[in-house]
Amino acid sequence: MSINREQKDIINKKKERTPGEILASYTPDIPEGNAAKVTRTIMRLLTSKCPVRFHYDFDKREMRGRQVLILAQHTSRDDPYYVNVGYPYINPNAIMSMHNALIPIMFRLLLKDGVILKSLFEPDIGAVKQLMRLRKKNASFLLFPEGVESADGTTQPLHPATAGLVKKLAMDTVLCTNHGAYLCQPRFDTNKRKGRLDYYFEILLRKEEIENMTEDEIYSLILEKFRYNEFEWNSKKQFSYKGKVPNAHGLDNLLFICPRCKKQYSMHVDGDSLLCECGSKVTIDDRYNLIPNGRDFPFERIDQWNRWQREVITEEVSREDFVLREEVIYRTLNLEDLKKGRYITVGEGRLELDRERLRYTGTKNEEKVELEFDISRVPSSAINPERANQIYYDGEYYQFAIEGDRRHYSRLTMAIEALHEMKDTERRKARKDVLEG
């Protein structure tokens, strides 16, 4: 009995494992040599359009094949590419969140690269066990201690467990810092700019030093070397950054409160300027300088403006009757067919945030559901390029895209972070630490 081509396609499709099935049996291992070469080639191509300068404070020949832990700043979504290209002396196992691994054209390649998957912001004993197991196999690792890319070009809170992990691994530790990455690829816009871009690699700690240091001492050293403020840096350097769109493009995604009239979401971008309904106008030049109309404008830099907004939202959420409501589309990870993208829409409903919890009431797969997330366990709601808020809770991924004015995601994120830090003293200290440098 013969079978036709259509029947063969059906049989082959049945044999093909889904991403979910692949992940269920996945155990990270030492990166495969050929896969690592392909990955680095892809990343080199992705970074080729924006010239970069790499700087090293060590003899590069001595680092070839040397087992290290790389700690890197996460100022931009392109950082993993530049770090990989700039440090070709080893093929590290990168620690990353599940949603970052499910890139349709990269998924299988990343698994061959031995990525160590974990839930963003959640403690993950399993990931630590994988690190310790691979360490014995002479693996090197790449870690971004902030967890997510910077919202406003300044340091995000460092994960409190970072120093403990450095102490536990007791490996030569390389620090990667940069200047210009955020200004070339700001979080508030998907368009890129070209300008001065430098990545720096230095030996932060040798394993012999780690043995004689406490976790507090390690944390203080990381913090001292890790802090950054891209807008403050360029206010002194005055390097130019230019792209297909003005530098103001997308800035109303980040800056949503007018400093003059205090109204929220009353501003819009017009060419190279932010305009408010009250008549306030701020022009952003190719060096990211703020040039306001009139003299009564309180800020000289974008990061100062955003820090003030955070203070406004922190005051809002401190009120006993605080409630924030948004109509949202509910999405989750696509573990069935990445050809259709890494996220799938499973429902829609209302997201409500109060001082104790984040609650979703709506549908999931055409059934009515109510989901609750204890705010003491949600440090942030990281924003993805699709302008949606995303969290991990009990190892599960949740994405909520605000319907209507998508700019509201910034306020939601700030409110979640402020409420969480009212309850989590470690996280509150971590934010204070990075702000006080």
Side-chain angles (χ1 to χ4, degrees):
M1 175 181 171
S2 62
I3 57 176
N4 59 34
R5 184 173 180 178
E6 184 178 348
Q7 289 172 320
K8 286 181 179 179
D9 289 341
I10 293 173
I11 293 171
N12 289 333
K13 189 171 183 181
K14 286 182 178 179
K15 290 179 180 179
E16 187 175 331
R17 292 197 300 163
T18 66
E21 290 171 338
I22 292 171
L23 289 170
S25 60
Y26 172 66
T27 300
D29 207 340
I30 298 294
E32 296 180 18
N34 289 335
K37 288 179 182 177
V38 172
T39 300
R40 186 164 281 121
T41 299
I42 292 172
M43 292 183 173
R44 189 175 287 113
L45 290 171
L46 290 172
T47 58
S48 62
K49 292 183 179 180
C50 193
V52 58
R53 305 177 189 209
F54 292 114
H55 309 266
Y56 309 88
D57 80 338
F58 45 72
D59 185 339
K60 292 181 283 186
R61 293 170 299 180
E62 293 182 2
M63 305 307 289
R64 191 167 299 279
R66 185 170 174 178
Q67 186 182 29
V68 297
L69 166 65
I70 304 174
L71 300 180
Q73 292 175 340
H74 207 351
T75 60
S76 157
R77 68 176 62 99
D78 290 343
D79 287 327
Y81 308 148
Y82 284 107
V83 176
N84 191 291
V85 171
Y87 200 92
Y89 317 114
I90 44 92
N91 298 318
N93 292 78
I95 297 94
M96 65 170 57
S97 300
M98 181 78 73
H99 65 279
N100 286 324
L102 286 170
I103 301 172
I105 61 172
M106 292 287 289
F107 173 62
R108 292 177 183 272
L109 186 58
L110 289 172
L111 296 190
K112 289 181 180 180
D113 289 332
V115 294
I116 299 170
L117 303 173
K118 74 177 298 295
S119 299
L120 186 62
F121 296 127
E122 288 198 318
D124 196 327
I125 296 174
V128 174
K129 288 181 178 178
Q130 299 293 357
L131 284 163
M132 300 309 296
R133 178 181 62 82
L134 289 170
R135 183 191 183 285
K136 294 177 181 178
K137 300 178 73 171
N138 204 41
S140 290
F141 305 110
L142 169 59
L143 172 66
F144 293 88
E146 293 163 283
V148 293
E149 64 192 85
S150 175
D152 61 357
T154 65
T155 324
Q156 303 304 288
L158 304 184
H159 196 292
T162 301
L165 181 62
V166 171
K167 179 75 174 175
K168 191 176 184 68
L169 288 172
M171 297 166 58
D172 289 339
T173 303
V174 172
L175 178 67
C176 177
T177 58
N178 73 75
H179 279 306
Y182 183 93
L183 306 180
C184 288
Q185 178 66 91
R187 183 74 176 272
F188 56 78
D189 191 27
T190 55
N191 293 282
K192 296 186 179 183
R193 288 81 164 150
K194 288 184 179 180
R196 180 64 180 256
L197 178 58
D198 296 87
Y199 278 78
Y200 304 84
F201 294 90
E202 64 176 291
I203 296 178
L204 178 69
L205 285 166
R206 297 188 183 275
K207 56 185 177 182
E208 296 82 9
E209 297 176 290
I210 294 173
E211 293 174 2
N212 299 316
M213 295 177 70
T214 66
E215 289 186 20
D216 286 343
E217 289 171 335
I218 293 171
Y219 175 73
S220 295
L221 179 62
I222 294 173
L223 192 63
E224 175 190 346
K225 296 279 190 174
F226 206 90
R227 287 192 190 97
Y228 59 88
N229 186 324
E230 288 294 271
F231 291 111
E232 181 180 32
W233 170 78
N234 204 45
S235 69
K236 300 171 184 175
K237 297 294 185 180
Q238 290 296 295
F239 292 124
S240 177
Y241 292 85
K242 296 181 180 180
K244 294 181 180 179
V245 297
N247 286 344
H249 193 270
L251 191 52
D252 54 348
N253 289 319
L254 174 68
L255 303 178
F256 59 93
I257 308 178
C258 175
R260 283 173 166 151
C261 71
K262 309 299 188 293
K263 194 172 180 180
Q264 299 189 16
Y265 302 107
S266 62
M267 297 178 295
H268 68 278
V269 172
D270 183 12
D272 62 356
S273 301
L274 269 178
L275 305 180
C276 180
E277 296 169 357
C278 72
S280 179
K281 176 181 179 180
V282 183
T283 299
I284 294 87
D285 68 11
D286 61 11
R287 294 166 175 78
Y288 286 99
N289 295 313
L290 300 181
I291 308 170
N293 63 340
R295 298 183 178 180
D296 60 335
F297 198 78
F299 308 119
E300 296 179 351
R301 304 191 310 263
I302 289 171
D303 64 285
Q304 294 172 333
W305 189 340
N306 190 54
R307 184 171 179 176
W308 167 75
Q309 287 187 148
R310 183 175 292 279
E311 293 170 354
V312 171
I313 299 304
T314 299
E315 185 177 344
E316 277 188 10
V317 304
S318 65
R319 299 168 190 157
E320 292 291 338
D321 60 348
F322 170 79
V323 179
L324 189 157
R325 298 182 180 90
E326 298 284 358
E327 300 302 315
V328 298
I329 297 169
Y330 171 25
R331 300 189 183 113
T332 189
L333 296 176
N334 182 1
L335 297 177
E336 295 298 322
D337 185 2
L338 290 180
K339 292 176 184 177
K340 298 179 181 179
R342 56 176 152 168
Y343 306 117
I344 53 172
T345 298
V346 293
E348 58 182 21
R350 171 171 288 188
L351 197 65
E352 183 175 289
L353 174 68
D354 61 31
R355 286 163 56 88
E356 299 299 327
R357 65 190 61 80
L358 181 68
R359 179 188 294 111
Y360 168 77
T361 306
T363 60
K364 178 181 180 181
N365 298 326
E366 300 182 348
E367 294 184 1
K368 291 183 178 181
V369 296
E370 184 171 301
L371 307 173
E372 285 199 1
F373 312 95
D374 183 345
I375 201 65
S376 68
R377 295 174 53 198
V378 184
S380 182
S381 57
I383 301 160
N384 67 8
E386 289 77 20
R387 303 295 181 232
N389 298 80
Q390 52 192 351
I391 65 171
Y392 283 85
Y393 198 84
D394 289 337
E396 295 291 323
Y397 174 89
Y398 301 86
Q399 182 187 123
F400 300 105
I402 295 173
E403 295 193 87
D405 191 341
R406 289 287 179 87
R407 297 178 302 166
H408 287 210
Y409 69 79
S410 292
R411 183 184 178 215
L412 177 60
T413 296
M414 285 187 181
I416 288 173
E417 290 174 349
L419 286 166
H420 177 84
E421 287 164 22
M422 288 168 58
K423 299 177 181 296
D424 186 340
T425 56
E426 280 194 352
R427 185 76 179 177
R428 184 166 68 246
K429 179 182 181 300
R431 184 174 299 280
K432 184 179 179 182
D433 286 344
V434 296
L435 289 174
E436 291 185 345

